[in-house]
Amino acid sequence: MVTPSSNVGNKSNRTGDVEPDSESRSSVGRRRFLQTAGAGATVALAGCSGGGGNVVRLGATYILSGFASLYGEAAEQGIEMAQSEINDDGGIDGQDVEVIVRDTEASADTAIQQIRSLVEEDDVDGLFGLDSSGVAQAVAPQVAQLQMPFMITHAATPFVTSPEGEHEDSVGNDYVFRDSNSLAQDIYGAARTASELDATEWATIGPDYAFGYETWDYFQDFCAGLGVDAEFTAEQFPPLETGDYTPYISSILDAEPDAVITPLWGADLTTFVGQAEEAGWFDQIDHTLFSVGMGTDLASDGSPLPEGEYASTRYDPFVPDTEANNTFRDAYFEEYDTLPTYNAEGAYRAVYLYKEAIESAGGTDADALVEEFTGMEHSGPVGDYQFSETNQATVSSIWGTISYDEEWESNVLDPVNRYDAGPDELSEALGDSDLPTGI
């Protein structure tokens, strides 16, 4: 349900001291959309205007319940917005677009079940979504069997865009694409950030599955390839949905690192931050890098993340300062009473990618859509990019300094740095590492 809109005036532009490859932001207005879906629920966001009798039907899979449901909720908002815009503008080749959203419950088995149901029972024309790297690695081979294009919009493991056989964990194939940053692109930016900090001893605390381990592996190898003076002294990998981080926090603090990189996410991140603050983490550790810290607008009084620390995002609502980004941000803020997160933007863009591919192909044949996506050049709120030969979007790695803006009632990055993170940059930075670039 969408609540009636409220009018909020535009806010003044914000600028800050930035490096040569850094950028700043501009301004907006707002409204809130709330939607909940229980475990295994199906949410059909059906079109209400547009063209002819037939419908283009897409299937989306996100976490809609449990510790990371806020990611799915943000994705639903991006989907609803894209769908409404497209249908109000005549649809896709005159046909309304309908998106059926299913809950993966952060489970590989559930995700595979939902995806097969979307293809075999709901007869969707294309698929997109996914939040968890572990789930994405399990899903990718199934997508190839189904011979249905899948546009990943969040899950970041590089191994889903690394061709099968390149590495023992690689599961990339012709049907899997990603329109958002991969973990490799994100962590390349983390290593670039680390190279500018007065810190030599590094530790990590990350989730106990592929995403946590891959983050630490890539960070170490990128630091080595970029010549960062770094020692890696401690690591902790608590299970997902950990309630008590105290022993993990104590272990890291006992190691006395200069800096820590953490890929904790969802409710796990909020739990960790609260307990870390109580333990004096941010007084004892000089720098903390949150590799998915700007993926959500964490609700709390005051700053959800400590100001002055560093965070990554796969989309910044203020950068680039383009008509496409500003229009999307303004409309989203007006509609949902919050700044768009990267999961909202990635899902929004996926619907438009399907629109472009279907109209260019002249239909919804799966192999024709795969051909259209392969090497496609596209422009959206995130900026201009192209899909690489491994089906990974060549988007920038975005890192910046965390601050809390009372006017926006949100964390923001200021200044924000955008690092080119294409095949050449990643390959050169990984050097002799056996890890794939995934791009």
Side-chain angles (χ1 to χ4, degrees):
M1 178 180 293
V2 180
T3 61
S5 63
S6 59
N7 296 321
V8 177
N10 286 346
K11 303 184 189 304
S12 60
N13 293 357
R14 301 181 73 251
T15 59
D17 295 332
V18 295
E19 299 179 4
D21 58 350
S22 303
E23 300 179 59
S24 299
R25 43 182 88 86
S26 75
S27 65
V28 210
R30 53 164 92 177
R31 182 175 111 176
R32 182 167 300 279
F33 166 82
L34 297 173
Q35 181 170 16
T36 60
T42 301
V43 181
L45 303 176
C48 56
S49 62
N54 295 327
V55 171
V56 172
R57 184 172 292 111
L58 302 176
T61 54
Y62 290 98
I63 300 173
L64 298 172
S65 58
F67 83 105
S69 60
L70 69 176
Y71 286 99
E73 292 164 8
E76 284 184 311
Q77 293 172 357
I79 292 167
E80 184 192 55
M81 189 167 167
Q83 183 179 264
S84 177
E85 290 175 357
I86 291 169
N87 289 342
D88 286 349
D89 196 36
I92 298 177
D93 269 348
Q95 300 178 15
D96 277 356
V97 59
E98 174 189 4
V99 183
I100 303 172
V101 186
R102 294 275 179 87
D103 185 5
T104 68
E105 302 174 343
S107 161
D109 289 343
T110 301
I112 291 169
Q113 199 173 41
Q114 297 285 34
I115 286 164
R116 286 196 169 275
S117 173
L118 285 165
V119 173
E120 295 167 356
E121 298 173 20
D122 294 299
D123 196 27
V124 297
D125 299 306
L127 297 161
F128 66 96
L130 293 182
D131 297 295
S132 163
S133 289
V135 171
Q137 282 182 257
V139 163
Q142 301 293 319
V143 170
Q145 289 180 20
L146 292 168
Q147 297 186 327
M148 175 68 64
F150 198 114
M151 184 67 64
I152 295 174
T153 65
H154 182 197
T157 174
F159 295 106
V160 296
T161 52
S162 169
E164 189 173 358
E166 183 179 22
H167 185 277
E168 63 180 354
D169 295 324
S170 298
V171 291
N173 59 69
D174 291 344
Y175 291 90
V176 176
F177 298 79
R178 179 165 41 215
D179 71 357
S180 62
N181 296 60
S182 73
L183 179 149
Q185 290 169 310
D186 278 342
I187 303 307
Y188 168 74
R192 289 285 301 270
T193 301
S195 71
E196 300 168 4
L197 300 178
D198 182 20
T200 55
E201 295 187 2
W202 285 84
T204 191
I205 179 168
D208 186 18
Y209 77 108
F211 185 62
Y213 296 106
E214 290 171 13
T215 295
W216 191 223
D217 290 342
Y218 273 91
F219 183 69
Q220 292 177 78
D221 285 5
F222 275 130
C223 284
L226 292 171
V228 179
D229 181 14
E231 298 176 32
F232 306 101
T233 60
E235 56 188 44
Q236 291 292 315
F237 297 100
L240 289 172
E241 301 187 70
T242 290
D244 182 9
Y245 280 90
T246 303
Y248 306 100
I249 291 169
S250 295
S251 180
I252 295 293
L253 292 178
D254 288 345
E256 298 183 346
D258 301 318
V260 176
I261 182 169
T262 176
L264 291 172
W265 59 292
D268 285 347
L269 178 59
T270 62
T271 301
F272 164 76
V273 169
Q275 294 178 12
E277 286 178 332
E278 290 177 4
W281 176 288
F282 300 103
D283 295 323
Q284 298 177 55
I285 293 175
D286 294 337
H287 308 289
T288 302
L289 276 60
F290 297 93
S291 67
V292 287
M294 300 302 290
T296 57
D297 185 9
L298 307 176
S300 74
D301 294 329
S303 175
L305 293 175
E307 295 189 61
E309 304 294 350
Y310 299 87
S312 168
T313 184
R314 297 165 198 175
Y315 159 75
D316 188 286
F318 303 98
V319 178
D321 184 11
T322 61
E323 181 178 356
N325 193 25
N326 294 341
T327 299
F328 168 70
R329 181 201 60 216
D330 288 4
Y332 189 97
F333 198 73
E334 171 90 15
E335 186 68 21
Y336 302 119
D337 198 28
T338 188
L339 291 173
T341 67
Y342 64 65
N343 223 29
E345 193 272 345
Y348 172 89
R349 195 156 31 89
V351 182
Y352 273 97
L353 282 162
Y354 270 105
K355 171 179 166 60
E356 181 173 330
I358 291 167
E359 291 181 342
S360 181
T364 57
D365 176 77
D367 287 332
L369 295 183
V370 167
E371 186 174 345
E372 291 297 330
F373 284 140
T374 302
M376 177 187 282
E377 296 181 3
H378 193 256
S379 182
V382 77
D384 299 333
Y385 61 96
Q386 181 176 9
F387 287 98
S388 73
E389 61 182 22
T390 68
N391 299 340
Q392 168 63 47
T394 56
V395 288
S396 299
S397 181
I398 306 171
W399 279 81
T401 305
I402 300 165
S403 62
Y404 187 81
D405 191 300
E406 295 290 346
E407 287 188 289
W408 295 107
E409 299 179 2
S410 177
N411 281 131
V412 295
L413 296 179
D414 193 11
V416 56
N417 301 312
R418 289 167 59 93
Y419 303 107
D420 290 339
D424 292 342
E425 289 84 5
L426 268 60
S427 180
E428 181 178 353
L430 279 176
D432 296 331
S433 171
D434 63 354
L435 293 173
T437 62
I439 189 171

